[in-house]
Amino acid sequence: MKEIDNIDNTEGLEKRERVDTINLEYLKVKDYEELKEIMIAVYPNITDPYWKKKDIQKLISIFPEGQVVVKVNGEIAGCALSIIVDYDKFTDTHTYMQITGDETFSTHTPKGNVLYGIEIFISQQYRGMRIGRRLYDYRKELCENLNLERIVFGGRLPNYHQHADELSPKAYIEKVRAREINDPVLDFQLSNDFHVKRIITNYLEGDKQSKDYAALLEWDNIYYQKPAKKPNAIKTVVRLGLVQWQMRTYKNLEELIEQAEYFIDTISGYRSDFALFPEFFNAPLMAAYNHLSEPDAIRELAKYTERIRDRFSELSVSYNINIITGSMPYIEDGTLYNVGFLCKRDGTIEKFYKLHVTPDEAKAWGMSGGEVLKTFNTDCGKIGILICYDVEFPELGRLLADEGMDILFVPFLTDTQNGYSRVRHCAQARAIENECYVAIAGSVGNIPKVHNMDMQFAQSMVLTPCDFQFPTNGVKAEATPNAEMILVADVDLDLLKELNQFGSVHNLVDRRKDLFQLKWKKK
């Protein structure tokens, strides 16, 4: 028995009558005699091929949701039987008898973590109708609804005996995966997103066609949430608030903070989880130092950075919102950097650096690039932050993606539309190749009394990968170009999980790591 041969091939199509109804139903005890006849026909080469009536009664009694049939015109066309097990009590080399408690199902427990498939079969008459797909799709939904880690079963290799003399089980599976050998069972299981974890020996006693081998197959539930011992506040739908900041003259620091608080107040009023400010949004304060050289003026501006950081941290707590401060000049051990701060609503503060300063930043201000790149854990998942020019270097986004980044924030400052286009298009590329959301926020307007900061061009936006779960053009939301405003948009982190597993392409998974690798050298 057991996750069996010829699940859904085309044999029997010519004999089939017109289909009036097709329904998936819970298996009932009254279906037993019909079920028995089908199993006898399906398993002609197996001794004692059908379940006893008491076994079916037991399964229905202990786990009715796990026992389902598909009926075509009122007749059983296919059946799937399952139990829930605490898989931690077994090894990946278990046998069928061990996992089913010698077919007593004593191993079933509602407190288990794995949905285990103990049987699936399709009537000869109804093969080719994708009945098996309906049953597997139901199991996947059941696994998700019950918050189980995965689906596991031992898959027979009924055609392996034809190749056993020249191929090991592993080689046989690889050739099936490469479509060099046709195996209707394994082909079907692989096409339904199951993956082979290992080969099991002596899984099903007396299975001569499989030469006593089986493939241990798994399907991972990407929505599984491990039960927490304390309340878990991590959100899956995250609201982003982007500040498209108007450059204007401010008399002093307090006036600038007052304007920033206005935006924070407004964005938090929409119950946003993040507020993103642009790069060098505080540059207007340099107007007071316009009589100095550009390197001296930027260093005077750096004296405000820690005070702005502390005020933003206070605002993040009082308005219950995570604030990404954009970026500001910052002197550390005598060296001038471009840095920003993540002010979390729990009161903690983390710092990020611009790693690639532009030629103008280095030439006009004597600014140096930082040497730290990392993701940040938040109550809305893992995020990454790259300042402006950094997003134009694909390696950085990929390194953050390898650390599990869900959302990439990019505070930027661009004076021309050319510069903006570089940031915007590179940001969209990062969203596609790293299967993440990217939020970019910039400044608009001009501040003629500040050298090297004459004018700005920006259109803030939230970008997505390009697949069926997302907008076709990969733009979730966008601000009006060159106008002071806020942009608020929701992003669903679960859609990223779906993309990673079921997307049209798999940009992260399909990387040829056998040919190339990306490595962070700085310790």
Side-chain angles (χ1 to χ4, degrees), residues 118-391:
I118 60 173
E119 183 78 79
I120 190 167
F121 60 85
I122 310 301
S123 171
Q124 295 278 1
Q125 181 181 353
Y126 295 104
R127 288 179 182 167
M129 292 182 63
R130 296 182 175 84
I131 302 297
R133 183 177 296 277
R134 288 175 182 259
L135 293 169
Y136 275 164
D137 285 349
Y138 171 78
R139 275 187 179 169
K140 293 174 184 177
E141 291 178 9
L142 181 63
C143 184
E144 291 170 356
N145 292 337
L146 295 177
N147 192 37
L148 301 175
E149 287 185 36
R150 56 194 186 276
I151 301 171
V152 178
F153 58 82
R156 296 183 60 232
L157 305 174
N159 286 358
Y160 177 59
H161 66 279
Q162 301 173 12
H163 305 272
D165 290 341
E166 64 271 10
L167 294 175
S168 67
K170 180 180 179 182
Y172 173 78
I173 290 173
E174 289 301 319
K175 287 188 174 292
V176 171
R177 184 181 282 116
R179 297 296 192 266
E180 296 176 21
I181 292 177
N182 178 41
D183 185 307
V185 181
L186 194 54
D187 280 342
F188 178 78
Q189 290 159 344
L190 294 175
S191 68
N192 275 273
D193 303 313
F194 287 87
H195 61 271
V196 178
K197 186 175 184 182
R198 63 166 298 144
I199 305 296
I200 310 177
T201 58
N202 301 314
Y203 178 72
L204 187 62
E205 186 177 353
D207 185 5
K208 296 180 181 179
Q209 288 181 315
S210 302
K211 292 292 184 179
D212 292 325
Y213 291 106
L216 184 65
L217 288 137
E218 289 188 343
W219 176 85
D220 296 317
N221 176 13
I222 60 174
Y223 302 111
Y224 172 71
Q225 296 289 333
K226 187 175 182 179
K229 295 181 179 179
K230 59 182 180 179
N232 186 353
I234 291 183
K235 303 179 66 173
T236 57
V237 176
V238 180
R239 181 161 293 177
L240 311 180
L242 281 55
V243 179
Q244 190 156 284
W245 177 269
Q246 172 78 44
M247 289 294 196
R248 56 168 62 89
T249 302
Y250 295 98
K251 296 178 182 178
N252 51 44
L253 174 60
E254 285 308 311
E255 196 170 86
L256 181 137
I257 293 294
E258 182 180 345
Q259 181 67 22
E261 184 173 0
Y262 162 76
F263 283 119
I264 294 169
D265 184 13
T266 304
I267 291 173
S268 69
Y270 289 105
R271 299 181 65 186
S272 299
D273 298 292
F274 287 96
L276 173 64
F277 283 80
E279 179 184 28
F280 289 132
F281 77 97
N282 64 334
L285 295 177
M286 275 199 294
Y289 310 105
N290 217 30
H291 61 287
L292 301 177
S293 67
E294 292 175 5
D296 289 339
I298 196 76
R299 282 164 174 76
E300 288 298 321
L301 182 64
K303 294 178 181 178
Y304 292 102
T305 295
E306 290 185 351
R307 292 163 62 188
I308 295 174
R309 175 201 64 195
D310 294 343
R311 285 292 290 122
F312 271 65
S313 181
E314 293 171 5
L315 294 171
S316 69
V317 174
S318 61
Y319 285 99
N320 190 32
I321 188 170
N322 301 300
I323 300 175
I324 298 168
T325 65
S327 73
M328 298 168 275
Y330 186 75
I331 297 174
E332 192 173 84
D333 296 328
T335 301
L336 180 67
Y337 296 103
N338 186 350
V339 307
F341 301 92
L342 169 60
C343 299
K344 298 181 184 179
R345 50 186 160 198
D346 65 1
T348 58
I349 302 173
E350 298 196 68
K351 183 167 58 178
F352 54 90
Y353 294 80
K354 187 172 187 177
L355 305 190
H356 299 86
V357 296
T358 63
D360 186 66
E361 286 174 311
K363 180 180 178 181
W365 293 332
M367 189 165 279
S368 299
E371 297 182 348
V372 177
L373 178 73
K374 65 175 185 175
T375 55
F376 301 95
N377 292 312
T378 74
D379 55 2
C380 300
K382 270 193 177 181
I383 69 167
I385 307 171
L386 295 177
I387 303 173
C388 196
Y389 192 32
D390 278 341
V391 80

Side-chain angles (χ1 to χ4, degrees), residues 97-116:
M97 297 302 283
Q98 288 171 342
I99 203 75
T100 62
D102 292 328
E103 298 185 348
T104 66
F105 317 120
S106 61
T107 52
H108 171 78
T109 170
K111 297 181 179 180
N113 60 340
V114 163
L115 183 68
Y116 199 94

